[in-house]
Amino acid sequence: MADEPNVPMEEMGGQVAEVNLPASANPNSPYAWPKERRLLSTRVNRIDGPLKVSGRAKYSYDVRRPGLLYGRILRSPHPHARIVSIDLAPALKMPGVKAAINIAKPGGKVMYVGDEVAAVAAVTEDQARDAARAIKVEYEVLPFLASVEQAMRPEAPVVFEGGNVKASQTEEEGNLQAGFAAAAHVVEQTYATQVQTHVSLETHGCVCEWEGDKLTAWVSTQAVHGTREGFATSLGIPQANVRVITEHMGGGFGSKFGPDVQGIACARLAKEAKAPVQLMLDRREEHLAAGNRPSAVAKIKAGVSADGMLTAFDAESWGTGGAGASSGFPLPYIYTFPNRRRVHKDVYINAGQQRAMRAPGHPQGCFITEMLMDELADRVKMDPIEFRIRNLPPQAPNAMWREYFKVGAAKFGWDKRHPTGDPTPGPIKRGMGCAANRWGGGGRGTQAQCEILPDGGVVVRCGTQDLGVGTRTLIAVIAAETLGLQVKDIKVEIGDSNYPFSGGSGGSTTAPAVSPAIRVTVTKALQELGTRVLGVPADQVAASGGRVHVKGNPSKGLAWAEACRKLQTTPVSVNAGWEPGLSASGSSGVQFAEVSVDIETGVTKVERILCVQDCGLIVNQLTAESQCIGGMIMGVGYALYEDRILDRNTAMQVNPNMEWYLVPGMSDIPKIDIMLMNQPERGVIGIGEPPTISTAAAISNAVANAIGVRVRSIPLTPQKVLTALEGERAGGTL
Amino acid sequence: MADHPAPASRLVTPEAHCAHLRHKGMYVLSTPDPGELKHAGNWDATAYWCTQTQKAMGPDGSPANAACCVSGNGRGCCH
């Protein structure tokens, strides 16, 4: 292929490899990233780290306004019901209660347990809880669907207008019949994934305060400008009258893109009570009503030729995004089946609705396809990596899986992997697995402001937000690199809709949207400083080593402080924004996992994971690695623990807490190795999504390799492992 | 010359859809990746919401999404 790159790969320092990819950044941009990087691509500690570890960082939960009231929401105890009446009067008579509002309307319906009905605000949180319980609601209970199986039965009551099952389009390519005719082996299996909730450490919520007709909201959100728009649209007020502030926030993973139900309720309560109100969800509410990753099931028939080439893929898939929401996912994932068909159905049930969750659809498609790939490799008795490499799509500039599988396998010690089923004696079996990922990402549109002050201070403002991933530090690193200063010399102000516009943080777009905006804006500010104090043209201004000077001649210039003093009373103040040529989209990666499984208890322990991930120009290696670590820990939870379990008779979640909805604890986290592929010639690419995609698939394949039995649904609970082992003894699952 | 942030969404347009329909992509300014688009197929995991309810269901109790919330479909809650 003409666009296939030549990829010499050289490992540097055991962690960072330089990959010679076709450049997607523009080296001729006037703002091009420096070839010699002083701070970029190094390991820089988070500038807000001390604030966070000392508890001084202010999250929405920590905002205490004078006269603050506390809001609580009354939620439906029924999975499906018509609201006959709502009586707020008993709540309004309760001690400390200052306001009560309807969220649902009489005549309307609630669609799941936890659906919002009404809300109150009171002087204390306990008073608000008591008052919410005092609201009298009369329900007409309606038939409901507590599971996908119930919803798909022909005799199921039609709960959703248009039907409980929404058939989507068929995807078809090639000639399926010919594909199966060419197959030497055929695998027919069903694979399944569970519903996973976001479990953001900081729950959803906000503090709202009115001053006349102007609203200020401190919100835990992934989009301060988007949330401003959401408040204004929902409340019917001008956007100019809304200010949204997110100084720090504790994760969102795709679930926090607007004011949400509780945000609007909070604003209405504050208006009615004429006092600021805080309304943060508790952990139960978070599980019930704040979003989730849809489940996925795929019944697949797939063929492989005797020489290990995929020939055919025929799948029927379905899943649930809860009440009225979709459940799509890519299938097959990455690998090339020349003849394929896939039919998908969205199944609606009476449960909380899905929201975007870290790489929407990809972990499901990856798990299902990568499990199938190992089964097919076993049929042709081929090493799983060799089999994958043989069936990867034609290589494109951002599809580096072949090379990553090879370099990762060498580092991981893949040559020590035994065939399926650990032959060693004893109850503890070990195994290895692998899986690949891809993501688009890319970002644009961010605006920024840079002030250079006469006292030498530098302030960079941007209306982006830091979800906890290190965006503040990323901005400081870029500004310091550009100005020839240290990271500590830069004051970063973000998380406020009064700052220049930036899009929401989602889909791995923050770094590629924000980084160019900061580079362009700060460069322009430097150029203005240079022209004013050195009297040289803008394109001749440079900065290095704490000096502003003529490009190529550091001795012809001024020390930073001296240069700034010459500004006298008028600072440099520049507004600018994202420009093309400094960032790109498209990332690929692979992961390897090694597990040990106790075949007497069924308990799986992930021993180690290796992540090989490309990410364009690494801005801050430390926070880029943190993204990978966080993504993989989330993947461990998806593989082994997390599961929203609904009671099949009541549709109530039985584990809406962090005691029975399990997330990985410290002792569950394996040894993690990361190989980040630095690709400066591509510009900045986000990696929020990709590292979480393939972890569960790699772990699941490692479990099969360990115990010689395939568990085809996650989470891989001890019960499922033991059941699969029992099935193997009874006749085999492979 | 800066590339300004438009259009906001490939799935929801002011001409065809209800003014209250939202999804995450309307708040995230991304550059579509050709490789990803080619790979993607036509599966859909988009989570929509209605600004009137802030939920995946509109005020009439029916799902809020790009197929249902279109102008002229007779849905009383559409704007």
Side-chain angles (χ1 to χ4, degrees):
Chain A
M1 262 182 90
D3 64 347
E4 186 162 331
N6 178 25
V7 189
M9 187 171 294
E10 188 178 343
E11 200 177 326
M12 295 171 63
Q15 289 295 306
V16 180
E18 298 277 351
V19 180
N20 183 21
L21 282 165
S24 44
N26 176 8
N28 300 317
S29 163
Y31 311 103
W33 299 109
K35 286 189 176 133
E36 291 181 14
R37 300 182 292 277
R38 178 174 54 92
L39 296 168
L40 286 165
S41 309
T42 66
R43 305 172 69 85
V44 179
N45 287 332
R46 291 167 190 248
I47 59 176
D48 49 2
L51 278 181
K52 290 184 174 178
V53 298
S54 63
R56 284 176 292 149
K58 295 291 180 199
Y59 293 77
S60 297
Y61 201 92
D62 300 316
V63 173
R64 293 284 181 271
R65 303 296 299 166
L68 184 70
L69 304 176
Y70 295 87
R72 299 307 309 166
I73 291 175
L74 174 68
R75 296 175 181 276
S76 169
H78 304 292
H80 188 207
R82 188 177 308 283
I83 296 173
V84 177
S85 63
I86 303 173
D87 184 3
L88 301 174
L92 287 165
K93 291 176 191 160
M94 299 283 285
V97 173
K98 302 295 182 186
I101 58 168
N102 285 356
I103 297 177
K105 293 175 185 164
K109 284 194 205 172
V110 286
M111 299 303 292
Y112 54 92
V113 174
D115 210 345
E116 296 87 351
V117 176
V120 298
V123 174
T124 70
E125 202 164 352
D126 285 343
Q127 288 172 334
R129 283 183 194 278
D130 289 344
R133 277 194 291 269
I135 296 170
K136 286 193 173 151
V137 184
E138 188 182 346
Y139 296 97
E140 176 194 350
V141 177
L142 301 170
F144 61 91
L145 303 163
S147 71
V148 169
E149 293 72 25
Q150 289 176 14
M152 292 176 77
R153 283 182 192 148
E155 68 275 19
V158 179
V159 171
F160 296 91
E161 193 177 306
N164 305 328
V165 178
K166 182 188 157 205
S168 73
Q169 55 280 68
T170 299
E171 292 179 65
E172 198 159 2
E173 195 173 280
N175 183 331
L176 210 52
Q177 201 174 359
F180 280 114
H185 305 276
V186 171
V187 166
E188 286 189 78
Q189 291 295 351
T190 300
Y191 307 88
T193 69
Q194 75 280 41
V195 172
Q196 179 187 28
T197 62
H198 293 71
V199 200
S200 305
L201 198 55
E202 180 193 30
T203 62
H204 291 61
C206 60
V207 172
C208 286
E209 182 173 40
W210 292 87
E211 190 179 339
D213 59 356
K214 292 184 177 174
L215 171 67
T216 301
W218 291 262
V219 189
S220 180
T221 180
Q222 296 178 236
V224 292
H225 283 95
T227 300
R228 178 180 69 174
E229 184 274 339
F231 270 117
T233 305
S234 287
L235 296 170
I237 59 175
Q239 286 189 45
N241 286 5
V242 182
R243 181 182 180 192
V244 172
I245 299 169
T246 306
E247 200 173 333
H248 297 277
M249 61 100 69
F253 310 111
S255 69
K256 294 179 176 174
F257 271 91
D260 227 325
V261 177
Q262 72 278 350
I264 300 302
C266 184
R268 289 174 58 205
L269 287 168
K271 187 85 172 174
E272 189 164 314
K274 297 183 176 58
V277 173
Q278 182 189 75
L279 206 172
M280 302 294 297
L281 302 192
D282 63 23
R283 188 55 61 185
R284 177 176 179 271
E285 294 174 301
E286 195 76 5
H287 281 294
L288 296 181
N292 54 70
R293 187 190 297 287
S295 65
V297 181
K299 190 176 174 186
I300 301 176
K301 179 181 177 185
V304 61
S305 67
D307 61 349
M309 297 303 295
L310 300 171
T311 63
F313 180 93
D314 191 11
E316 181 187 1
S317 63
W318 59 91
T320 186
S326 65
S327 62
F329 57 92
L331 193 73
Y333 190 67
I334 293 181
Y335 303 100
T336 303
F337 287 84
N339 308 291
R340 65 184 173 92
R341 179 174 62 185
R342 187 265 182 107
V343 183
H344 180 79
K345 289 179 277 197
D346 293 326
V347 183
Y348 302 146
I349 67 171
N350 293 102
Q353 293 134 346
Q354 68 105 336
R355 294 183 185 179
M357 184 168 179
R358 206 169 190 173
H362 284 234
Q364 300 99 300
C366 179
F367 166 78
I368 291 168
T369 307
E370 294 283 15
M371 289 284 278
L372 173 69
M373 291 297 285
D374 262 25
E375 297 214 48
L376 292 167
D378 272 354
R379 292 296 173 96
V380 292
K381 301 192 186 325
M382 192 176 285
D383 177 84
I385 289 182
E386 185 190 344
F387 182 70
R388 281 170 170 76
I389 288 175
R390 196 171 282 208
N391 288 287
L392 283 168
Q395 194 149 346
N398 62 338
M400 303 295 297
W401 303 291
R402 280 177 183 79
E403 289 68 29
Y404 295 171
F405 270 130
K406 288 175 188 169
V407 74
K411 186 173 178 67
F412 196 67
W414 186 259
D415 58 337
K416 295 181 184 64
R417 177 184 180 273
H418 52 70
T420 300
D422 184 352
T424 58
I428 306 298
K429 305 295 185 186
R430 295 179 79 97
M432 296 183 192
C434 67
N437 64 64
R438 70 170 298 144
W439 187 252
R444 53 194 285 196
T446 290
Q447 308 288 310
Q449 180 190 53
C450 178
E451 278 191 314
I452 298 174
L453 305 168
D455 65 0
V458 178
V459 184
V460 181
R461 296 187 183 90
C462 178
T464 187
Q465 48 284 311
D466 189 339
L467 313 191
V469 302
T471 304
R472 263 191 188 80
T473 312
L474 172 141
I475 290 172
V477 166
I478 294 169
E481 177 87 56
T482 305
L483 297 176
L485 300 174
Q486 300 301 314
V487 169
K488 65 178 175 53
D489 299 327
I490 311 298
K491 184 177 185 193
V492 179
E493 295 186 347
I494 61 172
D496 190 327
S497 62
N498 279 358
Y499 297 155
F501 175 82
S502 185
S505 291
S508 301
T509 61
T510 307
V514 170
S515 303
I518 302 305
R519 175 73 174 169
V520 170
T521 307
V522 174
T523 301
K524 286 184 173 178
L526 172 66
Q527 289 173 341
E528 184 180 323
L529 173 67
T531 53
R532 281 172 59 179
V533 303
L534 299 180
V536 298
D539 64 359
Q540 290 303 304
V541 178
S544 63
R547 288 176 62 78
V548 184
H549 57 80
V550 175
K551 192 174 279 185
N553 189 356
S555 64
K556 195 173 177 184
L558 297 167
W560 180 263
E562 192 181 347
C564 291
R565 264 198 304 277
K566 283 181 171 287
L567 294 171
Q568 294 186 314
T569 58
T570 309
V572 171
S573 181
V574 169
N575 286 274
W578 184 92
E579 293 207 11
L582 300 169
S583 57
S585 62
S587 65
S588 51
V590 301
Q591 288 184 14
F592 298 79
E594 182 171 17
V595 303
S596 61
V597 185
D598 186 333
I599 59 170
E600 291 179 347
T601 64
V603 172
T604 298
K605 179 168 179 53
V606 184
E607 301 288 348
R608 60 192 181 106
I609 303 177
L610 169 64
C611 159
V612 185
Q613 188 67 52
D614 67 32
C615 53
L617 167 68
I618 297 171
V619 178
N620 181 358
Q621 174 131 1
L622 196 62
T623 50
E625 288 175 356
S626 291
Q627 280 280 36
C628 294
I629 291 168
M632 286 186 279
I633 293 172
M634 196 175 235
V636 170
Y638 193 44
L640 299 185
Y641 309 121
E642 296 184 51
D643 194 1
R644 183 195 69 181
I645 302 169
L646 300 183
D647 182 285
R648 75 186 73 172
N649 295 314
T650 63
M652 288 187 182
Q653 185 179 350
V654 302
N655 57 347
N657 49 49
M658 287 181 79
E659 183 179 10
W660 298 109
Y661 184 98
L662 302 176
V663 295
M666 290 297 285
S667 61
D668 303 312
I669 296 169
K671 178 179 184 295
I672 292 174
D673 287 317
I674 298 163
M675 294 180 74
L676 285 177
M677 301 301 176
N678 197 15
Q679 305 159 333
E681 65 280 11
R682 297 187 68 199
V684 177
I685 297 172
I687 56 163
E689 256 72 13
T692 205
I693 293 171
S694 39
T695 310
I699 291 170
S700 302
N701 279 330
V703 168
N705 179 243
I707 65 175
V709 182
R710 196 156 284 278
V711 183
R712 297 186 180 88
S713 78
I714 50 174
L716 303 171
T717 60
Q719 182 191 10
K720 285 186 192 172
V721 169
L722 293 175
T723 302
L725 286 164
E726 186 62 30
E728 175 68 3
R729 291 184 198 107
T733 63
L734 290 174
Chain B
M1 182 71 186
D3 186 0
H4 290 290
S9 171
R10 290 180 290 119
L11 302 171
V12 175
T13 61
E15 296 78 22
H17 292 95
C18 174
H20 288 284
L21 185 62
R22 295 286 185 277
H23 67 92
K24 184 187 98 173
M26 297 169 78
Y27 296 107
V28 174
L29 302 169
S30 65
T31 312
D33 177 57
E36 180 66 14
L37 289 176
K38 187 179 174 188
H39 167 78
N42 53 7
W43 59 279
D44 183 18
T46 307
Y48 294 92
W49 69 90
C50 169
T51 62
Q52 296 176 90
T53 61
Q54 293 290 331
K55 300 178 186 185
M57 315 292 279
D60 61 354
S62 292
N65 58 50
C68 298
C69 302
V70 290
S71 307
N73 71 347
R75 215 169 148 174
C77 54
C78 265
H79 290 71

